[in-house]
């Protein structure tokens, strides 16, 4: 019984001691924060004025020993050696009297100085000017100091029994004092508090830093006392004593005060440099003494923090300034990284206990950046308020800074990052150690809900829980959809296969109810079958946490013990229960996702099947809604019509098809509600001239004609178009939702039918030509024979001889023409072998035949034949037939007369013949069919439609080309291109 009482008393004393230490830290931080804020406020509001003269007490009186050449005193005429007798009529007994007058005055105040110079009295009016103000760096450093103090206080509150946190707390307090405390000028009691706080903090900062690095982290096997350790505080005591002597003696001797203050300032910087260098050396030496992983990681934090935080300021500013140099003002900013020292030290202290210390440090740096942005916002608002509230640049308005500060506070409190920071700070103070668990739980729960792969989720879950709680084994067991038994899908630490948890287990009622089963609790284990409890204990599973969804356990977390062999406490089980709830949701989400994925795959397969059916159709298919907007367009229609699916979908029928075609569909739709078919409807494809695929089709914005088309060139298509209504699939609503349009391209079939008809005509013509040849060749033979007989005895000088020769040639030509008519329906007979001929001579022979006809028709001929012969290789009478047909067509195109121009030339190894007339021209819609057999635009009885067809065939047989350009009302031009005879020989040789 006495032992129990002693234990209770010891526990109570320990609790009071912890509470007292925490309360002391809170009090110190609160007092220092209040003083720091007061110092910052006073510095922002205090505006010291001075006369720019250093007054000192001498036996003869208060004498000016130094005069600032740019000060107010020098401007008024005060010189060194002047004795100050009175100010504004009040006698001056000491320099403090002049300082007191300056404290009671404002900028621009005029005071009268009564001076004694070389035995004569003088009265000078001095306009007091502002004292030189320090740089704005103070506000940045003070903010860093406030932050450092808060960090030290929080670390002390979290670990009040840790001796390292006590050293760290005072180190942060020294950082705070050195950064934040600074005397301002009034030298009242509060200002003296700031002065001595700054002095003491600057003096203690180096030895506190060195002391901390000596004792933390703990060295291996070193528990002996260090009696010489207090000696590191001796320089700090000497500097503090020097400050006291300087203030006491300097109150009556300004020269001594100035010199002593300057020397002590440099001594402080030198001490800071020496302390930082010694701390770095201690840390480097400690690397050889410390072997534990945790301590070495803490040591690396300390080393990096000291090097990166104190190094730049120590070497860049403190050491040069202590040695007598004046570093540039910009180098003062090297003091900002000193804030890294307490941050890294705090991380080193709590790192092995807080898993998220890196995140805390990163967020702290982010908050520091946000603080800088807040200060910039305050400065901008201050200037804006000064401009709006009072005259610009008026420093006397005491309310502008309050307005700007309040506005900045409102903006910051409304900002989301600030709210998150405040929320985080409150959670940390309230939950303490539990906050890290909760924070890890929230982050991990968010990750769980984003992972729909159950196997990957189980692996991540097991790894995270094992890492967080440091347990020896764990398994995530998932219920089977059929049997309901639980099998492992992810485990750790089990030497054998994880046993199956049966749905009939005695633990299932508790698990389905959402209750955690702890088998290491004898009272809880008594509820279950003893054999089952022993079975699971032998397997190493002591805790079962259910993952319940809709009143039923769908998974179970089976866990062993902690590696420290400690049982799970209530917070551990609460954490696992919360995680299990999230796991249940994630598993159910994964199951639903798999089911949805399976349904989606079925829909995709069905859609692909239907898509393949539509795409496999040889006929074009388009689906459009009730507003005639296209929603479906298959590739067959894309192929022969020339409009891509992407270009068609979303457009209306009138945007894609010709307007006559659309109107025909509408008329058929109105007449036949159940569907209708249009036969052999002409539509114009949307391929560009020369393109043969939909990829070359012009965009929908390229329409230029009046029929709603795209302004393309090429022959029209003949299609059969069938339109049927598309009804809603719902049995209750069978209204028409749109229409299905099936387009069958019958162009090739119609063309084959026309070719068949042409073939039949050609066969009939062949038979007719054979009869004509038989009937005509007989008289032609007689004419030719009689002509030859007359020529045998004719005199060459007789004019009739020339006529007989012309009769002979024309009889031969008539025979060839008859044979050419036969060649229209059958291959050319042997014996008409190609030979070399002059293209100019062929054209002249044709002209000789038609001279009389051109003269009667009032047609003027312009001949521009090449100066030299143009040799081509071919069948002469066929080439004559080509030009005869072209000349006759030109004659028919000019019924009232006109000009016929014929030009020949050689270009690029080919012979070119150009025949141009000034006739009526050919309409553009007929140009593509002028070479078709039996196609003619002439009146009935004026033409057969075979002339250009024969001409085209002859030119093609001679490896040539023929091109036509025509404009209605302006004339027509044919260009015939034939290979030169020498080019053909060169090609044959090669």
């Amino acid at each position: 019984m006495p032992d129990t009482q002693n234990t209770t008393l010891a526990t109570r004393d320990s609790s009071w001691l912890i509470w007292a230490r925490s309360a002391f830290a809170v009090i110190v931080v609160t007092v220092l924060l209040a003083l720091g804020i007061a110092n910052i406020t006073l510095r922002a509001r205090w505006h010291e004025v001075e006369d720019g003269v250093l007054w000192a007490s001498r036996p003869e009186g208060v004498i000016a020993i130094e005069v600032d050449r740019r000060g107010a005193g020098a401007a008024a005429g005060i010189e060194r050696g002047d004795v100050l007798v009175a100010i504004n009529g009040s006698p001056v007994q000491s320099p403090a009297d002049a300082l007191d007058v300056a404290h009671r005055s404002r900028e621009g105040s005029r005071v009268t100085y009564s001076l004694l110079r070389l035995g004569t009295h003088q009265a000078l009016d001095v306009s007091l000017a502002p004292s030189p103000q320090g740089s704005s760096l103070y506000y940045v450093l003070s903010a860093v100091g406030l932050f450092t103090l808060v960090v030290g206080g929080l670390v002390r509150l979290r670990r009040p029994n840790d001796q390292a946190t006590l050293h760290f707390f005072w180190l942060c307090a020294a950082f705070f004092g050195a950064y934040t405390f600074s005397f301002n000028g009034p030298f009242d009691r509060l200002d003296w508090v700031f002065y001595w706080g700054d002095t003491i903090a600057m003096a203690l900062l180096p030895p506190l830093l060195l002391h901390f690095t000596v004792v933390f982290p703990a060295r291996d096997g070193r528990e002996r006392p260090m009696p010489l350790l207090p000696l590191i505080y001796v320089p700090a005591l000497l500097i503090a004593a020097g400050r006291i002597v300087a203030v006491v003696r300097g109150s009556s001797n300004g020269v001594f005060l100035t010199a002593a203050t300057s020397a002590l300032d440099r001594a402080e910087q030198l001490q800071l440099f020496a302390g930082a260098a010694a701390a770095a050396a201690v840390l480097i030496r400690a690397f050889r003494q410390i072997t534990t992983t945790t301590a070495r990681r803490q040591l690396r934090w300390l080393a990096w923090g000291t090097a990166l935080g104190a190094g730049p300021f120590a070497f860049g500013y403190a050491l040069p300034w202590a040695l007598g140099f004046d570093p540039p003002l910009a180098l003062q900013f090297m003091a900002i990284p000193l804030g890294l020292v307490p941050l890294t030290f705090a991380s080193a202290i709590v790192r092995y206990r807080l898993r998220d210390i890196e995140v805390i440090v990163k967020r702290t740096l982010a908050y520091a950046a946000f603080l800088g942005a807040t200060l910039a916002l305050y400065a901008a608002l201050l200037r804006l308020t000064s401009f709006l509230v009072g005259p610009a640049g008026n420093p006397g308005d005491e309310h502008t800074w309050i307005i700007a500060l309040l506005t900045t506070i409102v903006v910051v409190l409304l900002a989301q990052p600030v709210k998150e920071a405040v929320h985080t700070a409150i959670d940390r103070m309230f939950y303490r150690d539990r906050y890290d668990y909760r924070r890890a739980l929230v982050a991990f729960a968010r990750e769980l809900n984003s992972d729909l792969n159950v196997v990957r989720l189980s692996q991540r879950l097991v790894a995270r829980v094992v890492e967080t709680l440091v347990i020896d084994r764990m398994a995530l067991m998932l219920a089977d959809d059929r049997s309901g038994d639980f099998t492992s899908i992810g485990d750790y630490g089990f030497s054998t296969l994880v046993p199956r948890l049966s749905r009939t287990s005695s633990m299932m009622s508790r698990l389905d109810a959402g209750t955690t089963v702890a088998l290491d609790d004898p009272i809880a284990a008594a509820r279950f079958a003893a054999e089952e409890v022993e079975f699971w204990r032998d397997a190493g599973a002591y805790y079962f946490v259910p993952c319940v969804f809709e009143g039923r356990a769908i998974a179970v977390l089976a866990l062993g013990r902690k590696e420290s062999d400690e049982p799970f406490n209530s917070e551990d089980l609460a954490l696992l229960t919360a995680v299990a709830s999230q796991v249940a949701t994630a598993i159910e989400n994964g199951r639903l996702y798999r089911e949805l994925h399976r349904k989606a795959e079925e829909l995709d397969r069905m859609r692909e099947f239907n898509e393949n059916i539509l795409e496999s159709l040889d006929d074009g298919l388009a689906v459009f809604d009730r507003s005639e907007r296209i929603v479906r367009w298959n590739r067959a229609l894309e192929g022969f019509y020339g409009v891509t699916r992407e270009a068609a979908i979303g457009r209306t029928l009138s945007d894609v098809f010709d307007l006559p075609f659309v109107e025909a569909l509408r008329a058929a739709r109105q007449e036949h509600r159940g569907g209708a078919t249009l036969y052999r409807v002409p539509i114009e494809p949307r391929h560009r001239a020369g393109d043969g695929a939909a990829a070359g089709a012009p965009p929908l914005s390229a329409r230029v004609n009046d029929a709603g088309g795209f302004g393309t060139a090429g022959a029209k298509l003949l299609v059969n178009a069938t339109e049927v209504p598309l009804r809603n699939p719902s049995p209750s609503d069978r209204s028409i939702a749109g229409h299905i349009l099936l387009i069958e391209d019958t162009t090739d079939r119609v063309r084959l039918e026309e070719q068949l008809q042409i073939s039949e005509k050609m066969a009939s013509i062949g038979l007719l030509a054979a009869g004509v040849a038989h009937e005509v060749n007989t008289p032609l033979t007689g004419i030719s024979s009689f002509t030859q007989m007359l020529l045998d005895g004719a005199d060459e000088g007789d004019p009739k001889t020339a006529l007989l020769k012309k009769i002979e040639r024309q009889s031969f030509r008539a025979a060839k023409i008859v044979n050419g008519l036969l060649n229209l329906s059958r291959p050319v007979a042997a014996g008409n072998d190609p030979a070399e001929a002059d293209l100019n001579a062929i054209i002249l022979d044709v002209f000789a035949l038609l001279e009389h006809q051109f003269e009667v028709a009032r047609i003027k001929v312009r001949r521009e034949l090449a100066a030299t012969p143009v040799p081509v290789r071919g069948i002469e009478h066929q080439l004559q037939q080509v030009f005869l047909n072209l000349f006759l067509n030109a004659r028919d195109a000019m019924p009232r007369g006109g000009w016929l121009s014929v030009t020949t030339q050689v270009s690029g190894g080919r012979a070119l013949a150009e025949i141009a007339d000034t006739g009526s021209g050919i309409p553009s819609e007929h140009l593509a069919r002028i070479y078709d057999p039996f196609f003619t635009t002439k009146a009935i009885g004026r033409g057969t439609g075979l002339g250009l067809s024969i001409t085209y065939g002859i030119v093609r047989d001679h490896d040539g080309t023929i091109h036509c350009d025509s404009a209605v009302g302006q004339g027509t031009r044919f260009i015939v291109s034939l290979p030169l005879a020498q080019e053909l020989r060169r090609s044959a040789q090669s």
Side-chain angles (χ1 to χ4, degrees):
M1 188 69 177
D3 293 339
T4 304
Q5 292 179 349
N6 292 336
T7 302
T8 304
L9 291 174
T11 303
R12 184 179 303 171
D13 292 341
S14 176
S15 301
W16 276 103
L17 182 60
I18 293 174
W19 183 89
R21 290 172 177 173
S22 302
F24 177 74
V26 171
I27 293 173
V28 171
V29 170
T30 302
V31 172
L32 291 179
L33 284 176
L35 290 175
I37 294 174
N39 198 161
I40 296 171
T41 305
L42 181 61
R43 188 177 184 88
R45 300 182 58 182
W46 177 258
H47 301 286
E48 178 78 7
V49 293
E50 64 177 8
D51 54 11
V53 181
L54 179 61
W55 303 100
S57 296
R58 295 289 187 270
E60 55 271 23
V62 179
I63 299 177
I65 59 176
E66 291 186 13
V67 180
D68 187 0
R69 293 178 297 175
R70 295 174 295 180
I78 299 177
E79 299 177 357
R80 294 183 60 180
D82 290 349
V83 179
L84 181 61
V85 178
I87 300 177
N88 290 334
S90 300
V92 176
Q93 304 297 331
S94 66
D97 296 335
L99 187 61
D100 184 62
V101 172
H103 289 171
R104 297 195 305 271
S105 303
R106 290 182 175 273
E107 180 182 357
S109 299
R110 300 183 67 83
V111 295
T112 303
Y113 280 21
S114 297
L115 304 175
L116 182 63
R117 181 184 298 170
L118 300 177
T120 61
H121 289 274
Q122 294 186 7
L124 301 178
D125 291 333
V126 180
S127 181
L128 299 180
S131 301
Q133 296 292 325
S135 65
S136 58
L137 179 63
Y138 165 75
Y139 299 102
V140 179
L141 296 179
S142 62
V144 176
L146 292 172
F147 174 74
T148 303
L149 180 63
V150 172
V151 171
L154 292 177
V155 171
R156 182 59 178 167
L157 288 177
R158 294 181 64 86
R159 301 289 185 267
N161 290 332
D162 193 345
Q163 189 67 19
T165 62
L166 178 63
H167 288 287
F168 178 70
F169 176 75
W170 290 117
L171 180 61
C172 290
F175 266 103
F176 167 80
Y179 280 172
T180 307
F181 287 149
S182 175
F183 71 94
N184 298 284
F187 287 107
D188 52 10
R189 291 182 179 179
L190 184 60
D191 206 30
W192 279 113
V193 171
F194 298 151
Y195 175 79
W196 288 115
D198 182 27
T199 299
I200 295 173
M202 283 297 298
L204 291 178
L205 181 59
L208 284 174
L209 176 62
L210 180 59
H211 191 175
F212 181 80
T213 56
V214 169
V215 299
F216 182 85
R219 274 56 170 181
D220 298 338
R222 189 188 69 185
E223 299 293 340
R224 62 180 185 277
M226 293 176 286
L228 300 180
L229 189 60
L231 295 180
I232 63 177
Y233 292 92
V234 172
L237 296 177
L238 295 177
I239 291 177
R243 290 287 185 184
I244 297 174
V245 172
V247 171
V248 173
R249 291 189 58 186
S251 59
S252 59
N253 188 344
V255 177
F256 174 76
L257 178 62
T258 302
T261 302
S262 178
L264 289 172
D265 288 343
R266 296 185 183 276
E268 285 179 348
Q269 301 298 326
L270 186 60
Q271 183 199 19
L272 179 61
F273 171 77
V282 169
L283 294 178
I284 294 174
R285 184 173 180 270
F287 272 108
R288 298 193 299 270
Q289 299 176 343
I290 295 176
T291 58
T292 62
T293 302
T294 301
R296 290 184 69 85
R297 296 179 67 184
Q298 293 172 330
L299 191 60
R300 282 195 294 269
W301 273 100
L302 296 180
W304 279 108
T306 304
L308 297 178
F313 181 76
F315 289 96
Y317 186 85
L319 181 60
W321 191 84
L323 295 178
F325 299 98
D326 291 327
L329 182 63
L331 292 180
Q332 292 182 3
F333 287 95
M334 290 186 175
I336 296 179
L338 288 172
L340 294 176
V341 176
L343 282 177
T344 52
F345 283 18
S347 176
I349 292 173
V350 300
R351 176 179 173 83
Y352 64 97
R353 294 183 181 179
L354 297 178
R355 298 183 181 275
D356 297 327
I357 188 61
E358 293 88 352
V359 178
I360 296 173
V361 173
K362 293 178 182 178
R363 290 189 174 181
T364 302
L365 294 177
Y367 295 153
F370 182 76
L371 179 61
T374 304
L375 294 176
L377 176 63
Y378 168 74
L381 290 175
L382 181 61
R383 294 182 64 88
L384 179 62
T385 307
S386 300
F387 176 77
L388 296 177
V389 174
N394 181 14
D397 192 347
E398 300 179 355
H399 302 290
T400 56
W401 73 272
I402 299 177
I403 298 174
L405 179 61
L406 292 177
T407 306
T408 304
I409 292 175
V410 171
V411 174
V412 169
L413 289 179
L414 293 178
Q416 186 64 25
V418 176
K419 291 183 179 180
E420 293 179 358
V422 173
H423 181 71
T424 300
I426 293 175
D427 284 348
R428 284 186 174 277
M429 294 181 62
F430 182 80
Y431 292 112
R432 303 238 178 144
D433 293 339
R434 290 180 298 166
Y435 173 78
D436 296 298
Y437 286 118
R438 293 173 179 268
R439 183 175 181 277
L441 170 63
V442 172
F444 186 66
R446 185 166 54 247
E447 295 177 2
L448 282 180
N449 291 328
S450 63
D451 196 345
L452 299 176
N453 188 310
V454 178
V455 176
R456 183 171 62 242
L457 180 147
S458 65
Q459 297 172 351
R460 295 173 57 210
L461 172 67
V462 170
R464 178 61 65 88
V465 174
V466 169
E467 179 185 5
T468 303
L469 300 180
V470 194
I471 56 180
D472 56 359
R473 57 180 57 88
M474 177 186 171
L476 174 60
M477 310 178 72
L478 185 64
D480 185 74
D481 294 337
R482 297 181 178 179
S483 64
D485 295 343
F486 295 84
T487 56
S488 174
I489 59 174
D491 56 79
Y492 168 83
F494 288 91
S495 58
T496 60
L497 186 66
V498 180
R500 178 188 295 266
L501 177 61
S502 174
R503 172 59 70 175
T504 60
S505 169
S506 59
M507 298 185 293
M508 286 311 303
S509 59
R510 304 280 295 179
L511 294 176
D512 285 335
T515 304
T516 299
V517 174
L519 299 182
D520 60 351
D521 183 1
I523 298 177
R527 300 189 181 97
F528 315 117
E531 297 82 1
E532 187 176 10
V533 171
E534 291 299 325
F535 171 79
W536 284 110
R537 286 178 176 176
D538 293 340
Y542 290 86
Y543 298 90
F544 293 88
V545 183
C547 304
V548 180
F549 185 82
E550 295 183 351
R552 182 181 176 88
I554 60 174
V556 174
L557 303 180
L559 305 102
R561 287 178 171 176
K562 292 185 178 180
E563 291 185 355
S564 60
D565 205 28
E566 296 179 358
F568 288 173
N569 55 35
S570 59
E571 290 186 351
D572 296 334
L573 295 178
L575 172 65
L576 289 172
T577 301
V579 171
S581 176
Q582 298 294 332
V583 171
T585 303
I587 291 176
E588 184 63 17
N589 289 341
R591 186 189 67 81
L592 294 177
Y593 175 77
R594 292 194 303 274
E595 184 69 17
L596 180 62
H597 187 67
R598 185 179 64 82
K599 294 291 185 182
E601 288 181 346
E602 291 180 1
L603 291 176
D604 287 341
R605 287 194 296 269
M606 186 178 299
R607 183 184 60 81
E608 290 178 0
F609 179 73
N610 295 333
E611 188 81 10
N612 290 334
I613 293 176
L614 297 180
E615 294 299 331
S616 299
L617 293 175
D618 292 334
D619 297 335
L621 180 139
V623 180
F624 54 91
D625 57 19
R626 300 179 63 179
S627 60
E628 294 188 349
R629 190 167 299 277
I630 298 173
V631 297
R632 189 69 175 83
W633 188 275
N634 73 344
R635 296 197 178 277
L637 185 55
E638 178 180 303
F640 69 76
Y641 189 60
V643 176
T644 62
R645 178 183 307 177
E646 293 76 11
I649 292 179
R651 298 294 183 124
T652 62
L653 289 181
S654 58
D655 290 335
V656 179
F657 292 102
D658 297 337
L659 188 56
F661 177 71
V662 176
E663 291 177 348
L665 289 176
R666 292 171 181 170
R669 191 184 314 146
Q670 292 294 330
E671 185 176 355
H672 304 282
R673 296 291 183 177
T677 301
L678 302 178
Y679 295 97
R680 294 197 177 186
V681 182
I683 61 173
E684 187 173 354
R686 296 308 187 244
H687 297 294
R688 293 185 186 274
D691 290 350
L700 291 178
S701 59
R703 297 181 300 171
V704 296
N705 59 20
D706 296 331
F710 296 91
T712 59
K716 288 189 176 183
L717 301 176
L718 291 178
V719 299
N720 294 338
T722 301
E723 180 183 306
V724 294
L726 176 65
R727 301 188 181 276
N728 287 317
S730 175
S732 60
D733 182 13
R734 299 295 293 171
S735 60
I736 297 177
H739 289 82
I740 301 174
L741 178 62
L742 288 171
I743 300 179
E744 178 188 4
D745 183 10
T746 61
T747 306
D748 293 338
R749 187 171 63 194
V750 172
R751 182 179 295 112
L752 290 175
E753 292 175 356
E754 291 181 352
Q755 290 178 356
L756 180 59
Q757 294 175 0
I758 292 173
S759 298
E760 292 176 353
K761 290 182 180 180
M762 295 297 290
S764 300
I765 292 173
L767 295 176
L768 179 62
V772 170
H774 176 71
E775 296 296 334
V776 174
N777 278 336
T778 299
L780 285 178
T781 302
I783 295 172
S784 176
S785 299
F786 292 143
T787 303
Q788 292 176 9
M789 292 174 59
L790 292 174
L791 285 174
D792 285 341
D795 186 5
E796 291 294 334
D798 190 350
K800 295 180 181 181
T801 302
L803 293 176
L804 291 174
K805 290 182 178 180
K806 182 176 293 188
I807 293 173
E808 181 185 29
R809 288 196 304 270
Q810 293 307 317
S811 62
F812 290 157
R813 180 175 173 276
K816 291 180 180 180
I817 291 174
V818 172
N819 292 331
L821 187 60
L822 288 174
N823 292 335
L824 183 63
S825 58
R826 65 170 182 246
V828 178
N832 290 331
D833 296 330
E836 187 172 324
D838 182 10
L839 186 62
N840 291 342
I842 294 173
I843 293 175
L844 291 176
D845 288 343
V846 175
F847 268 130
L849 293 176
L850 301 177
E851 284 179 344
H852 179 70
Q853 296 186 33
F854 287 155
E855 185 175 340
V856 172
R858 297 190 303 276
I859 296 176
K860 306 295 182 182
V861 178
R862 181 185 297 111
R863 304 175 187 177
E864 297 180 2
L865 305 181
T868 59
V870 181
V872 295
R873 186 172 181 81
I875 301 175
E876 183 176 352
H877 75 275
Q878 290 185 353
L879 294 179
Q880 289 177 351
Q881 184 68 35
V882 168
F883 292 103
L884 177 63
N885 291 336
L886 294 177
F887 291 164
L888 291 176
N889 283 341
R891 180 202 65 185
D892 294 340
M894 296 183 288
R896 299 182 181 180
W899 282 90
L900 175 63
S901 300
V902 180
T903 304
T904 60
Q905 59 178 336
V906 176
S907 176
R910 299 183 70 85
L912 301 180
E914 179 180 322
I915 298 92
D917 63 61
T918 60
S920 58
I922 303 173
S924 58
E925 62 269 19
H926 295 161
L927 280 176
R929 301 191 62 189
I930 60 176
Y931 303 113
D932 292 348
F934 305 106
F935 176 80
T936 180
T937 59
K938 299 176 183 180
I940 298 177
R942 297 292 304 273
T944 62
L946 295 174
L948 287 179
S949 176
I950 296 173
T951 298
Y952 178 80
I954 294 174
V955 172
R956 186 180 58 185
D957 291 342
H958 285 73
D959 296 327
T961 61
I962 183 170
H963 177 71
C964 177
D965 291 327
S966 182
V968 177
Q970 298 182 7
T972 303
R973 179 181 63 177
F974 284 90
I975 299 177
V976 178
S977 174
L978 297 170
L980 292 174
Q982 55 267 32
E983 293 294 331
L984 291 175
R985 288 195 299 270
R986 188 179 300 111
S987 299
Q989 293 175 358
S990 61

